[in-house]
Amino acid sequence: MALMEPVDLCGIELAHPVINASGTFDAIAARRAFGDALAEQFPFAAFVSKTVTLAPREGNPPPRLWELAAGMINSIGLPNKGLERYLSEDLPELTGLLPVPLVVNVMGFSIDEVAQLVSAFAEREEVAALELNVSCPNVETGLMMGAEPGEVSALLERVRPLTAKPLIVKLTPNATDVAAVARAAEDAGASAISLINTIRGMALDPRSGEPWLGGVTGGISGPAVRAAALAQVYSVSRAVKIPIVGMGGIQSGQNALDLLRSGATVVAVGTESFRDPAAGALVARELAGLAANSDVSFLT
Amino acid sequence: MSERTVAPFGRRAARVLDRRRCGSYVVLRCADPEGPRPQGGQFYMLTAAERWGGGAGERPFLPRAFSVLRARTGPGGTELEFLLEDVGPGTKRLCELGPGDELLLLGPLGAGFEPPAAGRRPLLVGGGVGIAPLAIWQDELGAATPALLGFRDAARAKGAALLHAAVVATDDGSIGHHGLVTELLEAELDSSPAAVVYTCGPPPMLEAVRALCAERSTEAQLALESGMACGFGACFGCVVPTRTGLVRLCIEGPVIDASRLETAIVAGAGH
Ligand SMILES: Cc1cc2nc3c(=O)[nH]c(=O)nc-3n(C[C@H](O)[C@H](O)[C@H](O)COP(=O)(O)OP(=O)(O)OC[C@H]3O[C@@H](n4cnc5c(N)ncnc54)[C@H](O)[C@@H]3O)c2cc1C
Ligand SMILES: Cc1cc2nc3c(=O)[nH]c(=O)nc-3n(C[C@H](O)[C@H](O)[C@H](O)COP(=O)(O)O)c2cc1C
Ligand code: FES
């Protein structure tokens, strides 16, 4: 454990460089399943919440999952209680149970909505940072917020002054030029970039030939996207100077090391936690072992 | 509501002690020395330690959910039994395991059955591989608890031997009552209405049981199934419709009180 060196992510000190990917670990539900063991063996150096939206969302109709040879497609549809109940119910509960810093992931369907969400957390000292999920359309322009540099600039220019907290912009891989979007985010004041979100995909019901997922299309995650994640982290790291949270298909210390060597400062484990809730801790341990035996310094 | 038994954090290795055929099904017995004793209706996420994911580009990738069939605690710790039906790549791989092979398991997970209120007579109603959680529940309630079990054919009906004194129905009439288990249930409820029905089985059977119990205001607890990726509330993939909206079956269930349901049919579940 002595091998795990603390990492600084925009001023937040993390015990090691492995956190969770948004929407792939629910600390409150995990507390019900694992009791006190969850906090005692908490697998991540920070906890990132599932996306919170202004209004409550029921999410997409089931079925929501499709398994692939090396991963899965999900069409979960961002179900959540909405801002108000997140603040009154989840935030106090999380504060009581988390042994690590909390990052709240938020998404709005317009710049105004994102601004309201950012303002709501701006003064909350329980929240270490905000992650902006921009993988959704701006209902005012009809453009994907995270797919166009101009959209991301406009968004950041509006919300950056609203809080002193770090703003991590989570990019969608479904964009023509992800590095250009990352640069626009940096120029407009983003504190860090996280990527990749899921890659759009689809599956047909083998019997009916109709789309399997209730949301018709969904997002691919897991080992299937690892090589795409590596390429995108690599290209974004050459375009920006702010730290990068790299994710996509991490299952091992070696996978994490690859993303760190391509330019990430911190990595996030997503789908692998479904196979083993302790995956984050295993990845961190393997990574520490690799770091001890490696002549490449990657913990910047 | 009784407190659920919580799972140790993280998946752990469990050695297969025994594999036996039971008609069309396979019963796997494995050692879980450090694990707690599960409650009836709780489940585990299972993975074969070898050749699971990453192998030859094939599924399975995710773990699979299985109700615990039976649990024993002895000097060597907990022993668990699972009842498997080979319906696809994950169950096929698990059915191949034999003594000495290793499983990775996570559990016990979810909320199991609730004991009957005083003066209520428990009644078990199962279909196919869905009899699994009823066996451990009968162990807890007492061997005299009546069980009505429906199967497609004689090979599957061999599974009835896993419960005590089960009354059997088969779709093809090869053994027991020729017809549906709900016909047996109807007769049973006519003769003794003050029952609590505990049920698990294929979605159409569950829905028929639910509708029948609702019609007669008979209390019922249904162990449902839906596609699961994680089993501990992380993915939001396993939702089922209830009167109050979609809920995660792995955390709110798999046993759900019938009064919460308008239907027992879950999109994408069943084979
Ligand atoms: C709480 C709970 C308890 C359970 N208990 C038991 C038990 O005691 N015994 C038992 O035998 N089973 C049990 N099951 C069911 C068991 O989990 C499934 O049979 C198993 O997951 C099937 O996996 P498979 O790989 O064998 O087949 P799959 O092919 O994964 O599953 C069969 C069905 O899944 C769908 N499907 C097909 N392809 C895909 C794909 N690529 N991605 C997603 N879905 C697909 C189709 O509907 C197909 O018919 C339980 C399930 C739950 C949720
Ligand atoms: C079931 C599921 C739900 C997700 N929900 C969210 C979410 O609410 N917000 C978000 O920003 N990303 C969400 N993601 C994307 C992940 O955070 C991550 O970017 C992606 O899965 C790639 O990492 P992985 O391959 O390790 O899973 C979700 C992914 C999955 C598989
Ligand atoms: S299976 Fe993942 S939330 Fe229920």
Side-chain angles (χ1 to χ4, degrees):
Chain A
M1 284 314 215
L3 292 174
M4 301 223 196
E5 289 180 44
V7 193
D8 177 281
L9 177 66
C10 354
I12 312 162
E13 180 168 310
L14 305 179
H16 58 78
V18 183
I19 67 174
N20 69 293
S22 171
T24 62
F25 202 95
D26 177 345
I28 291 174
R31 168 70 223 255
R32 285 174 76 186
F34 307 114
D36 295 337
L38 174 70
E40 287 156 14
Q41 299 170 57
F42 202 77
F44 308 110
F47 176 70
V48 183
S49 79
K50 186 162 177 67
T51 295
V52 179
T53 54
L54 210 49
R57 286 170 62 87
E58 167 114 287
N60 288 332
R64 291 177 169 183
L65 302 171
W66 180 260
E67 185 185 53
L68 304 171
M72 55 185 278
I73 314 178
N74 82 81
S75 83
I76 307 296
L78 304 170
N80 77 100
K81 307 178 158 178
L83 176 64
E84 205 172 306
R85 283 182 60 210
Y86 186 84
L87 289 171
S88 63
E89 296 172 15
D90 289 11
L91 204 48
E93 198 170 345
L94 285 170
T95 313
L97 87 85
L98 288 177
V100 296
L102 168 65
V103 177
V104 176
N105 176 303
V106 298
M107 190 184 86
F109 294 93
S110 66
I111 289 178
D112 254 344
E113 277 196 21
V114 183
Q116 285 183 62
L117 287 154
V118 170
S119 302
F121 291 103
E123 305 297 332
R124 293 281 181 155
E125 59 184 43
E126 322 80 297
V127 178
L130 292 171
E131 185 175 53
L132 308 181
N133 177 354
V134 293
S135 301
C136 69
N138 179 340
V139 292
E140 279 153 11
T141 62
L143 298 172
M144 281 289 276
M145 283 201 198
E148 305 284 334
E151 288 278 323
V152 168
S153 298
L155 174 68
L156 264 291
E157 273 155 24
R158 172 73 188 284
V159 303
R160 180 63 282 183
L162 301 175
T163 181
K165 290 190 195 301
L167 291 177
I168 305 167
V169 178
K170 180 160 182 185
L171 298 181
T172 168
N174 306 308
T176 323
D177 186 351
V178 178
V181 180
R183 213 175 301 117
E186 177 179 47
D187 290 345
S191 321
I193 300 290
S194 57
L195 76 164
I196 63 171
N197 209 320
T198 55
I199 298 177
R200 192 155 41 252
M202 177 169 174
L204 299 183
D205 182 334
R207 274 164 291 200
S208 68
E210 295 295 318
W212 171 267
L213 295 167
V216 181
T217 64
I220 307 172
S221 66
V225 307
R226 192 188 299 143
L230 200 60
Q232 294 212 355
V233 167
Y234 186 87
S235 89
V236 168
S237 77
R238 265 118 197 107
V240 302
K241 293 195 177 59
I242 50 178
I244 294 172
V245 181
M247 69 193 92
I250 296 179
Q251 294 187 290
S252 67
Q254 183 63 52
N255 299 156
L257 181 59
D258 287 350
L259 278 178
L260 293 169
R261 282 174 164 164
S262 327
T265 298
V266 164
V267 294
V269 171
T271 301
E272 189 63 9
S273 293
F274 301 160
R275 304 196 335 145
D276 180 0
L282 296 176
V283 168
R285 222 163 24 241
E286 286 180 12
L287 185 58
L290 289 167
N293 297 319
S294 158
D295 52 357
V296 179
S297 156
F298 57 88
L299 299 177
T300 43
Chain B
M1 288 224 303
S2 39
E3 277 289 308
R4 71 179 63 188
T5 300
V6 300
F9 187 68
R11 65 181 183 184
R12 56 192 184 275
R15 187 83 38 209
V16 176
L17 299 172
D18 178 50
R19 169 197 188 276
R20 63 180 203 275
R21 283 224 146 260
C22 180
S24 306
Y25 307 108
V26 165
V27 177
L28 272 191
R29 188 162 58 86
C30 60
D32 182 24
E34 310 299 320
R37 190 188 173 82
Q39 295 165 341
Q42 286 193 298
F43 69 98
Y44 289 74
M45 298 300 284
L46 301 186
T47 305
E50 317 239 290
R51 295 199 286 121
W52 188 282
E58 295 290 332
R59 296 196 300 135
F61 168 73
L62 297 163
R64 298 293 194 262
F66 296 93
S67 305
V68 59
L69 168 70
R70 198 149 255 148
R72 280 188 212 95
T73 27
T78 305
E79 271 183 32
L80 303 170
E81 281 186 350
F82 298 100
L83 181 66
L84 311 177
E85 181 175 22
D86 175 357
V87 298
T91 47
K92 181 180 172 57
R93 178 73 191 104
L94 290 168
C95 283
E96 287 166 7
L97 298 178
D101 287 340
E102 205 166 79
L103 279 176
L104 298 174
L105 59 77
L106 180 74
L109 297 166
F113 295 115
E114 292 287 333
R120 295 279 165 150
R121 208 172 62 95
L123 178 58
L124 311 177
V125 182
V129 76
I131 65 173
L134 303 180
I136 179 174
W137 193 230
Q138 193 187 44
D139 290 346
E140 285 179 36
L141 294 174
T145 311
L148 313 175
L149 307 179
F151 297 94
R152 219 177 307 157
D153 51 37
R156 290 184 171 81
K158 289 218 161 70
L162 295 166
L163 278 87
H164 302 278
V167 180
V168 170
T170 48
D171 297 357
D172 63 3
S174 50
I175 290 190
H177 171 74
H178 186 175
L180 301 173
V181 71
T182 38
E183 293 157 15
L184 298 177
L185 173 62
E186 208 162 356
E188 186 72 25
L189 291 180
D190 283 343
S191 65
S192 80
V196 184
V197 171
Y198 297 98
T199 184
C200 183
M205 184 211 95
L206 279 186
E207 174 52 17
V209 172
R210 187 206 60 78
L212 190 64
C213 291
E215 221 168 76
R216 295 164 180 246
S217 306
T218 300
E219 221 184 289
Q221 296 178 28
L222 282 65
L224 300 179
E225 273 185 24
S226 77
M228 292 186 176
C230 71
F232 59 97
C235 73
F236 284 79
C238 63
V239 293
V240 301
T242 69
R243 290 184 199 280
T244 52
L246 297 171
V247 302
R248 282 171 288 178
L249 189 68
C250 67
I251 272 287
E252 302 278 324
V255 176
I256 304 261
D257 199 277
S259 61
R260 295 183 63 188
L261 300 171
E262 248 152 46
T263 174
I265 302 290
V266 174
H271 331 294

